[in-house]
Amino acid sequence: MIANIVKPGHKTRGVLNYLYGPGRANEHTDPHLVAAFDDFVPDPGRNPTATLAQLADVLDLRVKQAGHKAPKNHVWHCSIRAAPEDRHLTDDEWATIARRVLNATGIAPAGDPDACRWVAVRHADDHIHIVATKVRGDLRPPRNWNDFLRADKELAVIEKEYGLRQVPRGDRTAAKRPTRAEQEKARRTGNARTAREHLRTIVRTAVSAATTTEEFFRIVEGAGALIDVQYFPSGDVRGYKVALDDDTNAQGEPVWFSGSTLAADLSYPKIAERLATTEAPPADQPETSAWRLLSIAIDRTPNHLADSEDEAGQAHIAVLAEALDTLPLIAPADLRPQLLQAATVFERAGRSRTRAHHQQAQATRRAVKAILREPAPKDGALLAIVLDALLLAVIAAQHWHRTRGHSQQAEAARQAAEHLRAAYQATAAEPLAVIHRRGTELPEWLRLQQAATVRRALPELAEQILAEPGWPALAAALAQADAAGHSPAALLTEATAQRELDTATSVSEVLTWRLHRLGDLTQRTVSRAPAPQSAPYRPVHTDQQRRTR
């Protein structure tokens, strides 16, 4: 159940005309009062002798009595909508809900004879509108500060009491939604997304790719957006704003958006803070594939979320969002739609009220940016390993948010996991089939040896693993680890100690990829046709960005 409190207005009759009218698409049916401040309030919907003018006069009585002391915008208007899957509430139930919300917001406290005058109008099965005039009986304004948050808190209680869908609650960190005018403009111009949403994607992706603020500005401009950087008199950057070159106002001028109006974490200070932690790797670090480093870094994310302070955990989730923003730029074309969807929905999970200590996640951030600067992996197994690690990290982020009461972020992470799972399954099918075939070709004595290893290392899971279709692939991975000089039992123990497995669809499949990550076995598993390569990073439009321009 969602409350929407609109900006105060000054025409009571105008609001009533809309509520009792046919609606923009004749969607208003049977408009009538379900409750009011007084039982004798005229109802033009059910009383043929009552008029809208009479109802407006009743509501405006104290406004007229207050004269010049009355607020100019005296109309308080709140709509309350049930979820589509909720049962249809009766008029009496809606009346009770209206009174509880009015009491919670301070517009009409229960038992207060001087409370504001109000009515609750129902013209559809799934919602009501509450209209009140903001002048009390003592001719003072009501104390209704933070009315939206108070209403939202009361509705959360109502949902539980009435058995309705419990809507994920926000913490006021979500990106600003496009206005109705922006949505209509996008529809007229044939774009699937508004300019605000398109620019948010461009800027977010640029942050994920850039290593300095100067490079960030170049990438944004190279992605087809106009950018205007503002400076202090000292020459330091004060901020920036962006626009699309084909998005103009009535005067033909670009429609500009500052970074902070795209999302709170896209303001210049927030971006500069994140990029400042992108330090160069240590000089003595051995040569290792960037994709290998990314898989290792992402694989550690669930442990960081479980063991670190909240500020460090939030930093790792923010980097996880950057990794998801990056992948569509370099992934094979058939995976991009799912990866774009995963990045888009996880964007909400990347922010919360917890301030991120980005310094704690700089190793992962370096790995994310490094994959853009080397060719994509030729072997699909390595991409599957990265996606598997990302999927498990996103599920861990969902748990992290849920345990802290971040319901919107947890829901965003859940949705992102669904898209990632689809991308992973499409990627993993062929390399897993290759590994599976190798497992079936192992000598009988070697398969029995690996089965004994599983029983010794994982006695509680052994029989389940050995019965799964993915067991031959795990047997092949264990044999490969043994041939590479690892202890298969020790590697299995380490793999299961990292994270619980009781939610895995296939424990053997999860362990197969985890062994490949821990033992660096992928480089020895090159037997499928190369995946499409990408050149070193340069700003490009994704397929979806091209369609929406």
Side-chain angles (χ1 to χ4, degrees), residues 74-296:
H74 62 268
V75 181
W76 187 84
H77 180 193
C78 171
S79 62
I80 305 174
R81 186 178 297 274
E85 62 269 31
D86 285 340
R87 64 181 175 84
H88 288 177
L89 301 173
T90 66
D91 281 0
D92 287 343
E93 288 174 316
W94 277 120
T96 301
I97 292 170
R99 290 189 175 93
R100 290 179 62 169
V101 169
L102 286 161
N103 175 65
T105 57
I107 292 293
D112 183 355
D114 286 332
C116 298
R117 294 190 164 205
W118 59 273
V119 294
V121 179
R122 183 179 188 178
H123 55 208
D125 290 331
D126 62 348
H127 70 278
I128 61 171
H129 292 259
I130 304 173
V131 180
T133 46
K134 295 174 60 177
V135 178
R136 291 169 42 81
D138 53 15
L139 303 187
R140 294 184 300 168
R143 301 172 64 87
N144 66 310
W145 298 287
N146 289 326
D147 49 7
F148 173 78
L149 294 179
R150 293 178 181 178
D152 195 56
K153 185 176 180 179
E154 183 66 21
L155 289 178
V157 177
I158 290 171
E159 288 168 352
K160 293 180 181 179
E161 292 181 5
Y162 283 65
L164 306 176
R165 178 193 171 192
Q166 296 182 33
V167 177
R169 254 63 203 185
D171 55 6
R172 308 185 82 174
T173 62
K176 184 176 179 180
R177 294 181 180 179
T179 64
R180 186 182 185 89
E182 291 170 357
Q183 293 173 336
E184 292 294 338
K185 187 176 184 179
R187 194 173 295 113
R188 289 195 307 270
T189 55
N191 290 319
R193 295 183 299 172
T194 64
R196 184 191 300 273
E197 293 169 314
H198 189 180
L199 288 167
R200 185 183 301 135
T201 299
I202 290 175
V203 172
R204 204 176 66 228
T205 304
V207 173
S208 302
T211 56
T212 65
T213 54
E214 293 77 11
E215 186 180 13
F216 163 72
F217 294 139
R218 290 198 301 271
I219 293 174
V220 170
E221 192 170 24
L226 304 176
I227 186 163
D228 180 17
V229 183
Q230 293 97 41
Y231 297 90
F232 288 111
S234 63
D236 296 329
V237 176
R238 181 169 62 89
Y240 74 97
K241 57 183 179 179
V242 289
L244 296 177
D245 53 9
D246 58 355
D247 181 40
T248 57
N249 58 22
Q251 290 72 42
E253 300 168 338
V255 179
W256 295 97
F257 295 86
S258 66
S260 60
T261 61
L262 298 178
D265 59 342
L266 295 181
S267 66
Y268 178 76
K270 295 290 181 64
I271 290 174
E273 180 185 0
R274 289 159 71 179
L275 296 182
T277 62
T278 312
E279 301 175 359
D284 58 349
Q285 181 170 308
E287 284 290 329
T288 307
S289 163
W291 289 82
R292 163 73 175 155
L293 291 175
L294 179 62
S295 69
I296 294 172

Side-chain angles (χ1 to χ4, degrees), residues 503-514:
T503 60
T505 304
S506 171
V507 174
S508 56
E509 185 176 327
V510 170
L511 290 176
T512 297
W513 293 126
R514 201 170 290 177

